[in-house]
Amino acid sequence: MTKLCGLRERKKQQTRSALVDAALALFEAKGFDAATVEEIAAAADVSPRTFFRYFTAKEGVLLAVHDEEFTRLLDAVDTAPTLAEAVITTIDGDHERFRRVQELLARTPALRATFLERTVEQEHQLVDKLLPPDPTPRQVLRTRLLVAATYAALRVAIESWLTTPDSHCAEHVTEALALLDQGLAVTR
């Protein structure tokens, strides 16, 4: 029975991955607004009904990539000594799919708004994970600032990465987090 569950899970993951890949290709070719759920499902060789078992809307396909990154970040927080190190661990690796999503977000204002809402939700989840039991108001404030500043550094680093085609995301993130760690004294 265990093998059957493992196989079932692998098949679900393959279908989900096929839907994400098909959606990305269609969004890039036709634009986000012009691509339909029916076209995405057909390109992934599944029915629209199957699509909706995995995602509630076509925006969900793109957000799934970010959710995967966020899940890796939450896992890394458990073992990394600092939030910055957890972020760098998460960012390090092959991120072609992530880059494609980021490029789509940059070109599609409505998607950016949805993504920003999701990012705020993720920030709250991360703050909750980092806080000790029964935190003081100062600990809550400090943790919220740390997470917000880290997310701002990530956003700026990703924007920089997108304008530098032959670079790696981790380089930009590492530099942005190092600058944040040093403090951002404004010099003129």
Side-chain angles (χ1 to χ4, degrees):
M1 192 79 159
T2 304
K3 285 185 178 183
L4 190 60
C5 290
L7 177 61
R8 186 176 300 134
E9 279 305 311
R10 281 195 308 276
K11 293 294 259 176
K12 282 182 174 181
Q13 191 55 36
Q14 288 171 349
T15 300
R16 181 179 168 92
S17 185
L19 284 165
V20 170
D21 291 339
L24 282 173
L26 282 165
F27 296 158
E28 290 166 338
K30 298 180 75 169
F32 176 79
D33 292 325
T36 67
V37 167
E38 290 76 15
E39 291 171 322
I40 295 168
D45 201 27
V46 299
S47 70
R49 184 176 175 193
T50 298
F51 175 92
F52 287 113
R53 284 189 201 128
Y54 290 86
F55 306 103
T56 58
K58 61 184 181 178
E59 293 89 347
V61 175
L62 298 177
L63 293 174
V65 175
H66 284 282
D67 291 346
E68 290 168 6
E69 294 286 328
F70 183 66
T71 299
R72 281 195 288 278
L73 175 59
L74 289 178
D75 291 343
V77 163
D78 289 336
T79 57
T82 67
L83 178 57
E85 290 180 57
V87 168
I88 291 166
T89 300
T90 304
I91 295 296
D92 200 18
D94 177 25
H95 292 286
E96 181 58 30
R97 196 185 250 185
F98 182 71
R99 182 184 198 99
R100 292 169 69 195
V101 169
Q102 290 299 324
E103 288 170 346
L104 282 165
L105 289 170
R107 291 191 308 264
T108 315
L111 283 176
R112 273 196 310 265
T114 302
F115 171 72
L116 287 174
E117 286 178 30
R118 178 66 62 90
T119 299
V120 169
E121 292 170 16
Q122 290 176 345
E123 283 184 35
H124 290 297
Q125 290 175 28
L126 186 54
V127 167
D128 290 343
K129 183 169 181 82
L130 293 171
L131 283 172
D134 300 318
T136 66
R138 183 172 174 81
Q139 287 173 313
V140 172
L141 179 61
R142 183 181 188 288
T143 304
R144 288 183 66 202
L145 284 170
L146 172 67
V147 169
T150 300
Y151 267 75
L154 275 171
R155 187 178 64 253
V156 171
I158 289 168
E159 289 169 1
S160 174
W161 171 52
L162 292 176
T163 62
T164 316
D166 293 329
S167 65
H168 297 283
C169 186
E171 294 167 0
H172 294 270
V173 170
T174 301
E175 184 176 357
L177 292 174
L179 287 170
L180 184 63
D181 190 48
Q182 295 168 8
L184 296 173
V186 177
T187 58
R188 294 183 193 264

